[in-house]
Amino acid sequence: AEALYINCNSIPEKEIRQAMLYALDRQKIIDNLLDGEADLADGFAVPAGPYWRDVTATPCDVAKAQSLVQQATSAGWDSTRHYGLYVNSGDQTLINAVTMAVNYWEAVGVHVDLNTVDLSTLMTMCGEGSGDIYGVQYTYAVGDPSWDINYVLPYWCFYQSDAEAAAAASLQGAADDTAYADALAEVDRDVQANVPIITMYVTGPLGAVAKRVSGAAASMYGCLNNVQEWTISAQ
């Protein structure tokens, strides 16, 4: 997933984080930069994964974003402040996506300055909490993302709610896959509501198949797992 991790110590106003999510036309970003070849998601479960429970991704709603910014401003938020967003200089697609995002945010009154840094510097900043927002290509564990949840939320985003903590704890003690998926969905709903993370897009598995092979498809679990279903023609 290509995601933005928000330092909630630096941006404690939930309304501003929510406004940043609502302001984004992520489908347009996917269509323009990836020819539509990516998925929308909020949180840690991905559509191609085993625990996906169709937590509907937050739609673009500019009017809602503007309303949230107005609420925050009325409550004392400094509307002149500029936030620093740091992205890996080697990830040009995410840089392009975030460039679009900065324009969406500016249109609703949230000022974000894009900075590119090398990956080592970016990871150091994430750990130190020395930036406002970090753009990171992060591969969540398909089978069990609980380690990622327990790492990035408190240590990169400086975020934890009672609801998220309870749901994350349920992941550890889940009796079966259904219980695990339900608990993960609760984590994702909390992330969606409080926005410590904005998932820009989720790219699917990549793979190449020879023209004379049928029945083969790219899979995040390994393309050879269904080799018994392949048919290989002579020519």
Side-chain angles (χ1 to χ4, degrees):
E2 297 276 18
L4 306 179
Y5 298 87
I6 300 174
N7 182 340
C8 295
N9 284 343
S10 180
I11 311 179
E13 300 86 359
K14 180 175 72 173
E15 294 82 5
I16 296 302
R17 302 195 304 268
Q18 291 173 329
M20 293 175 70
L21 177 57
Y22 277 110
L24 293 179
D25 190 338
R26 291 182 288 176
Q27 189 58 57
K28 181 174 286 187
I29 290 173
I30 289 171
D31 291 342
N32 286 356
L33 299 180
L34 299 164
D35 292 329
E37 296 298 324
D39 293 314
L40 290 173
D42 289 330
F44 294 88
V46 297
Y51 301 118
W52 177 248
R53 283 294 182 270
D54 194 21
V55 178
T56 303
T58 302
C60 177
D61 188 334
V62 174
K64 177 71 171 177
Q66 292 171 330
S67 176
L68 287 163
V69 170
Q70 290 172 359
Q71 290 178 38
T73 303
S74 297
W77 175 69
D78 182 4
S79 60
T80 67
R81 180 176 175 182
H82 282 240
Y83 297 110
L85 190 160
Y86 297 86
V87 181
N88 176 12
S89 57
D91 190 344
Q92 190 59 52
T93 302
L94 183 57
I95 292 171
N96 293 341
V98 171
T99 299
M100 294 178 67
V102 166
N103 292 328
Y104 288 135
W105 293 328
E106 188 68 30
V108 300
V110 180
H111 312 298
V112 177
D113 300 323
L114 172 60
N115 305 274
T116 58
V117 296
D118 63 83
L119 182 59
S120 177
T121 299
L122 180 62
M123 292 297 97
T124 298
M125 294 184 71
C126 289
E128 294 177 345
S130 54
D132 301 315
I133 311 162
Y134 316 100
V136 180
Q137 184 185 61
Y138 196 113
T139 302
Y140 300 125
V142 176
D144 179 10
S146 60
W147 186 92
D148 304 294
I149 293 167
N150 292 325
Y151 178 72
V152 299
L153 288 179
Y155 296 110
W156 283 10
C157 302
F158 299 96
Y159 171 81
Q160 190 172 59
S161 71
D162 291 341
E164 185 278 323
S170 296
L171 292 174
Q172 303 296 327
D176 52 37
D177 286 351
T178 298
Y180 188 95
D182 290 342
L184 184 55
E186 287 302 311
V187 172
D188 287 347
R189 291 188 185 97
D190 186 87
V191 168
Q192 187 177 58
N194 293 290
V195 200
I197 299 171
I198 296 175
T199 302
M200 296 293 287
Y201 48 83
V202 179
T203 55
L206 301 177
V209 179
K211 292 181 179 179
R212 65 192 189 98
V213 177
S214 61
S219 168
M220 65 174 59
Y221 300 106
C223 294
L224 298 178
N225 284 359
N226 66 336
V227 66
Q228 74 279 359
E229 299 175 7
W230 293 11
T231 300
I232 303 176
S233 64
Q235 296 292 332

